Amino acid sequence: MNTLRNDSTRSARSTRAVRVAGLAALPLVASLALVGCSTGQSGQSGQAGQSASSGSSGSSSAGSPSGTATATSASSNSSNDALRAAVDTARKAVGSGTVISVEQEQNGSAYEVLVVTDDGSEHEVHTNAAGTAVSGSPRAKTSDADDRAENERFLAAADLGVSDAARRFEDLHAGTITELGLDDHLGKVVWEGDVRDSSGTKHSVRIDAGSGEVVTDRVDLDD
């Protein structure tokens, strides 16, 4: 009988010891769980930060080509400021009309501009190198019926003005436009001219005067 009681007592004590040990372990388990959550959240935050940083870096890289294109376009526009000024100066000197050609002359020290008035006649205007002042007075060129008819045909077909054509040439080649004018090419009215790039290469270009589509674009090897 005493032996049974002793065994029961030892069994009870063993059970209580297990319970106490289990209760004592609970704070440790809870603490480990909190540390795990904290670590997971920190890792997620770090990954999110890296992703945001990566996205920001990607956006910056994607923006670079656009910035380069804009800079190139601005540089090209700047190199043709004198040509644009010559166009405006010549038109004002004549009083009215449409510019059908503009070109550098005297090794770039002047511009010659042709302005067609409403009656189809041509007026030749010369400006300084900056295009800001007229050299002499506008001179009316002798135009017969065929000349006037051709000019009227050119103007009727040219939905693009000289400024629009200049921008189209700049889109094709960054550089200085040395010549630009309306002409006939295989029965089609075109803006044709030359662009000299920074390396000195001359590009001879023709675009449709109505649509702006490229008709010919080649390097002039004869220059």
Side-chain angles (χ1 to χ4, degrees), residues 6-221:
N6 289 337
D7 289 343
S8 298
T9 301
R10 283 197 295 269
S11 176
R13 288 175 180 174
S14 177
T15 302
R16 284 197 299 270
V18 170
R19 290 178 179 174
V20 170
L23 292 173
L26 286 176
L28 177 60
V29 173
S31 176
L32 290 174
L34 289 174
V35 170
C37 291
S38 175
T39 302
Q41 291 174 352
S42 176
Q44 291 174 357
S45 299
Q47 290 175 355
Q50 290 175 357
S51 298
S53 176
S54 176
S56 175
S57 176
S59 298
S60 176
S61 297
S64 297
S66 177
T68 301
T70 302
T72 301
S73 178
S75 175
S76 181
N77 288 342
S78 176
S79 68
N80 292 302
D81 285 347
L83 179 140
R84 290 181 167 84
V87 167
D88 292 338
T89 298
R91 188 184 291 117
K92 291 175 182 176
V94 174
S96 64
T98 303
V99 173
I100 63 169
S101 77
V102 54
E103 65 178 300
Q104 287 184 348
E105 58 180 5
Q106 301 174 19
N107 295 320
S109 62
Y111 281 94
E112 178 185 285
V113 186
L114 290 182
V115 182
V116 173
T117 51
D118 292 340
D119 61 359
S121 61
E122 295 180 4
H123 301 262
E124 184 178 304
V125 181
H126 296 268
T127 76
N128 61 1
T132 55
V134 174
S135 302
S137 301
R139 182 172 66 87
K141 299 181 68 176
T142 301
S143 303
D144 58 23
D146 289 338
D147 293 331
R148 289 191 291 273
E150 182 179 63
N151 287 335
E152 289 172 359
R153 172 174 169 256
F154 284 172
L155 296 181
D159 292 333
L160 299 180
V162 63
S163 296
D164 297 323
R167 281 193 292 272
R168 186 73 180 97
F169 273 46
E170 289 168 338
D171 289 342
L172 295 171
H173 301 288
T176 301
I177 299 172
T178 59
E179 181 178 353
L180 180 61
L182 284 172
D183 204 352
D184 183 281
H185 177 69
L186 302 178
K188 178 180 294 186
V189 178
V190 298
W191 282 104
E192 68 175 19
D194 301 321
V195 183
R196 193 175 295 278
D197 64 26
S198 58
S199 69
T201 302
K202 185 168 77 173
H203 303 267
S204 294
V205 179
R206 292 188 182 95
I207 62 171
D208 189 298
S211 66
E213 294 181 356
V214 177
V215 176
T216 62
D217 184 359
R218 62 181 180 83
V219 172
D220 191 343
L221 299 176

